Amino acid sequence: MSNADQRPIILTGDRPTGQLHLGHFVGSLRSRVGLQDSHHQHLLLADAQALTDNADNPDKVRNNILQVALDYLAVGIDPTKTTICVQSCLPALNELTMLYLNFVTVARLERNPTIKSEIQMRGFERDIPAGFLCYPVAQAADITAFKATVVPVGEDQIPMIEQTNEVVRRVNRQIGHDLLPECKALLSNMGRLPGFDGKAKMSKSLGNTIVLNASDKDIKKAVNAMYTDPNHLRIEDPGQVEGNIVFTYLDAFDPNKEEVEELKAHYRRGGLGDGTVKKRLEGVLKELITPIRERRAELEKDPDYIMDVLKQGTEKCRNITQQTLDRKSTRLNSSHLVISYAVFCLKKK
């Protein structure tokens, strides 16, 4: 990166525990494609983080690294503009995580709303893997290692960004100058996308997803299973749009917003059947997913290309993250972060 290039740095990524789905698409994938021309963007395949609650099934994580990379490329991520890397191959992240753990208490981690929600969803109760409880700290290491100032996230991830900035402030205060930049959350225009069952967010672990290479048959099945308005028993009955999953998805994916608003008005006054609305959504989703599915099928024929993308991206990111740890980049003139911290502690004595 040249000194003249002042584009903001983005870090984002996904846990490779399954193929990506429409929730990922509206949550950040769509914006990532648009941001790669205006930002320095790094995509992290967070395999180490995925092991925090999949340690008993490492093959699940290992096998999905290529699957998620395929999804990235299929939706339009360009590896010449966006660097894709594998988390476990960046040793500087582990060192930074160990350092940052000294700046965070267990009580603070347990108060993190995102962690509390995830623990409840997984039914851990008090049997929480330590790595899972501490993954906000590892996420802080990821973000700061790249000196990222922008992190595209869903609204439910804002507490993670807040905790990252707490770590940044505490480290900077201990060192005595602003070594690490704070970051800000970049929220999607679309809120959390519910699963097609309408009961929770779209989640791989809940089995209520529509993956990005879903077949036409799978799309049709998912749309037909969607809840509408339980009181809309006859076509001529007025229907409720709010809380109606079909209209939630039309708001998220239908490019013709004016026609969607007309459909809502028609549905509210009566005379519009659920089947008609679902048929429109089915067509919208097929139009969105078909080119992604076809592009993915072509990429899948050349696994060596995918591996080369990951190798080159990971090597580049290994250098970036190590420079942060060593503090040898051209914009910094201090010594190694850990050494600086150790010297600071010695001076305090």
Side-chain angles (χ1 to χ4, degrees):
M1 190 188 310
S2 69
N3 289 332
D5 193 342
Q6 298 296 318
R7 288 181 296 165
I9 299 172
I10 284 181
L11 179 72
T12 182
D14 300 279
R15 289 158 42 101
T17 54
Q19 289 183 232
L20 302 185
H21 51 67
L22 289 179
H24 294 112
F25 186 80
V26 298
S28 67
L29 280 177
R30 184 162 54 186
S31 65
R32 293 176 197 176
V33 174
L35 291 167
Q36 61 186 347
D37 288 315
S38 57
H39 292 69
H40 286 291
Q41 183 166 249
H42 308 284
L43 290 188
L44 187 68
L45 289 160
D47 56 334
Q49 186 184 113
L51 285 173
T52 61
D53 59 335
N54 288 280
D56 59 340
N57 188 9
D59 285 344
K60 174 184 177 182
V61 177
R62 182 184 305 111
N63 294 338
N64 277 299
I65 289 174
L66 285 180
Q67 296 302 315
V68 174
L70 278 167
D71 286 332
Y72 285 164
L73 298 176
V75 300
I77 294 296
D78 184 344
T80 67
K81 300 176 180 179
T82 295
T83 309
I84 305 173
C85 59
V86 180
Q87 184 183 43
S88 62
C89 297
L90 307 178
L93 301 183
N94 295 326
E95 291 192 45
L96 286 171
T97 299
M98 287 301 298
L99 174 64
Y100 294 171
L101 282 169
N102 296 293
F103 294 94
V104 181
T105 66
V106 172
R108 176 64 182 91
L109 290 168
E110 290 179 332
R111 288 197 307 272
N112 186 308
T114 304
I115 291 293
K116 289 171 68 174
S117 174
E118 296 284 346
I119 287 172
Q120 184 178 14
M121 187 177 72
R122 287 167 171 78
F124 284 147
E125 297 183 357
R126 293 304 300 169
D127 192 24
I128 310 166
F132 187 85
L133 180 65
C134 296
Y135 90 73
V137 181
Q139 193 169 68
D142 297 339
I143 294 168
T144 58
F146 286 89
K147 302 191 187 74
T149 56
V150 180
V151 184
V153 293
E155 191 170 356
D156 60 322
Q157 293 292 309
I158 290 178
M160 309 294 277
I161 302 302
E162 292 173 348
Q163 190 147 24
T164 291
N165 286 334
E166 287 177 14
V167 170
V168 166
R169 289 191 288 270
R170 297 190 80 175
V171 171
N172 285 345
R173 186 162 60 247
Q174 287 288 68
I175 290 174
H177 67 278
D178 291 339
L179 168 69
L180 303 174
E182 293 191 28
C183 62
K184 63 180 181 179
L186 179 64
L187 296 178
S188 168
N189 293 330
M190 173 69 191
R192 177 188 292 184
L193 187 72
F196 62 75
D197 58 3
K199 295 181 179 179
K201 72 174 183 177
M202 185 170 281
S203 169
K204 291 172 282 189
S205 60
L206 296 174
N208 60 359
T209 67
I210 301 175
V211 295
L212 293 178
N213 69 332
S215 67
D216 287 353
K217 181 179 178 180
D218 289 337
I219 294 170
K220 182 180 182 68
K221 182 179 178 180
V223 172
N224 286 339
M226 288 182 179
Y227 293 92
T228 53
D229 177 2
N231 297 316
H232 188 240
L233 302 177
R234 297 174 299 177
I235 291 176
E236 59 268 27
D237 291 338
Q240 184 170 326
V241 170
E242 292 74 22
N244 188 318
I245 301 302
V246 179
F247 280 106
T248 300
Y249 275 63
L250 285 173
D251 281 336
F253 299 108
D254 195 320
N256 195 324
K257 304 304 179 186
E258 185 176 339
E259 288 188 8
V260 171
E261 290 305 312
E262 291 174 0
L263 285 173
K264 288 180 180 179
H266 192 175
Y267 193 81
R268 287 187 176 108
R269 67 175 179 264
L272 181 62
D274 291 334
T276 301
V277 182
K278 287 186 174 183
K279 192 69 178 176
R280 181 184 180 98
L281 176 59
E282 181 184 339
V284 168
L285 294 184
K286 285 180 179 177
E287 188 173 349
L288 170 68
I289 289 176
T290 297
I292 296 174
R293 182 176 65 233
E294 292 175 350
R295 170 65 174 156
R296 197 180 193 280
E298 285 300 310
L299 289 164
E300 209 163 10
K301 295 176 183 177
D302 191 0
D304 289 341
Y305 168 69
I306 308 299
M307 287 301 299
D308 285 343
V309 167
L310 293 181
K311 288 177 181 177
Q312 292 175 23
T314 299
E315 182 60 31
K316 179 179 178 181
C317 291
R318 186 182 294 118
N319 293 333
I320 292 170
T321 55
Q322 192 63 43
Q323 282 180 1
T324 299
L325 187 65
D326 293 343
R327 304 183 67 199
K328 293 178 180 176
S329 66
T330 56
R331 295 183 184 181
L332 299 171
N333 55 16
S334 301
S335 58
H336 191 291
L337 172 60
V338 176
I339 294 175
S340 294
Y341 179 63
V343 169
F344 178 87
C345 291
L346 289 171
K347 285 181 178 179
K348 293 290 283 186
K349 291 181 179 181

